[in-house]
Amino acid sequence: AQSVTQPDIHITVSEGASLELRCNYSYGATPYLFWYVQSPGQGLQLLLKYFSGDTLVQGIKGFEAEFKRSQSSFNLRKPSVHWSDAAEYFCAVVSGGSNYKLTFGKGTLLTVNP
Amino acid sequence: GAGVSQSPSNKVTEKGKDVELRCDPISGHTALYWYRQSLGQGLEFLIYFQGNSAPDKSGLPSDRFSAERTGGSVSTLTIQRTQQEDSAVYLCASSGGQISGNTIYFGEGSWLTVV
């Protein structure tokens, strides 16, 4: 079965510092990969997605992610974090060729210090 | 409306009572999804609708859970004889079709507390 691992439950960074959130997936074929963000009391907002093509994907709010097949990873990065980026981040993969069912990681909570 | 709308936003119910959670998807979206978010289990898929049909309801935890969609639009998730372990946030999402060509938009969720 497909699975997604986010190794870091909680990360704290200082405002202006760079950020990398890790995501590893287990999936036999070429995956569809996603990063979502959830602010307190809010629904999930799509940051970016990868289906095929260029392995470096640009998203909203200055985020980017790189698909590395050899490492089964899809890490999310941002060069300079803003206080408003404090939220929970979820990596997800489409499951089993279904083209509709998302399997999510457990999430990484990001705290931003002033 | 502009986004996926869910109601109620918060619901506290007594153990054993039935609850209904409503989802209004984005207008024109043919695909509708329900997910559950809880502390212990993270985000779990419950059910997928394409139009009014549910080709995949494999994530429904038990026969106390059911969902329907009418008119290719509004969906209702019903939980009968609620238990404390049903306490969670129930998220609805919709998209214009399957994932490869469309973005899935999530609502803000219905927070359910069973006491």
Side-chain angles (χ1 to χ4, degrees):
Chain A
Q2 293 74 31
S3 65
V4 178
T5 302
Q6 294 180 246
D8 304 305
I9 297 173
H10 187 193
I11 284 183
T12 300
V13 299
S14 298
E15 191 168 16
S18 63
L19 172 70
E20 182 169 29
L21 302 182
R22 296 183 290 164
C23 173
N24 293 96
Y25 65 90
S26 170
Y27 187 58
T30 300
Y32 295 163
L33 294 158
F34 306 80
W35 275 99
Y36 282 86
V37 61
Q38 186 177 37
S39 298
Q42 302 294 311
L44 293 162
Q45 182 182 23
L46 179 68
L47 286 175
L48 46 79
K49 59 187 177 183
Y50 171 78
F51 289 162
S52 64
D54 192 346
T55 56
L56 185 62
V57 180
Q58 300 298 319
I60 63 171
K61 304 184 179 186
F63 285 93
E64 67 178 26
E66 186 170 12
F67 170 60
K68 293 185 177 180
R69 183 187 301 277
S70 62
Q71 298 177 19
S72 297
S73 69
F74 189 58
N75 295 347
L76 182 71
R77 301 193 295 249
K78 187 169 184 178
S80 178
V81 170
H82 188 262
W83 64 266
S84 61
D85 293 324
E88 190 154 23
Y89 292 80
F90 293 91
C91 183
V93 63
V94 168
S95 305
S98 69
N99 207 6
Y100 60 84
K101 183 190 296 185
L102 290 168
T103 296
F104 287 89
K106 296 293 188 184
T108 298
L109 180 64
L110 175 66
T111 298
V112 180
N113 287 334
Chain B
V4 178
S5 178
Q6 294 188 244
S7 61
S9 54
N10 285 283
K11 175 73 175 180
V12 179
T13 190
E14 292 181 352
K15 178 181 173 181
K17 295 285 181 68
D18 297 351
V19 296
E20 287 188 349
L21 307 177
R22 176 188 169 103
C23 174
D24 280 281
I26 293 173
S27 179
H29 277 190
T30 58
L32 186 146
Y33 318 80
W34 285 97
Y35 284 81
R36 180 169 71 173
Q37 185 174 23
S38 57
L39 280 175
Q41 301 299 321
L43 278 152
E44 304 171 280
F45 167 84
L46 296 180
I47 189 169
Y48 159 62
F49 286 93
Q50 181 59 43
N52 291 334
S53 301
D56 189 347
K57 52 181 77 171
S58 63
L60 294 177
S62 73
D63 59 6
R64 296 186 295 104
F65 287 72
S66 63
E68 65 175 9
R69 188 180 186 193
T70 55
S73 180
V74 172
S75 176
T76 302
L77 177 68
T78 301
I79 309 172
Q80 296 179 310
R81 304 181 302 281
T82 52
Q83 304 295 313
Q84 287 185 331
E85 61 263 28
D86 300 333
S87 296
V89 179
Y90 290 83
L91 292 167
C92 179
S94 71
S95 66
Q98 292 188 327
I99 289 177
S100 60
N102 298 277
T103 296
I104 298 178
Y105 295 90
F106 282 81
E108 294 187 358
S110 290
W111 293 67
L112 175 66
T113 303
V114 181
V115 298

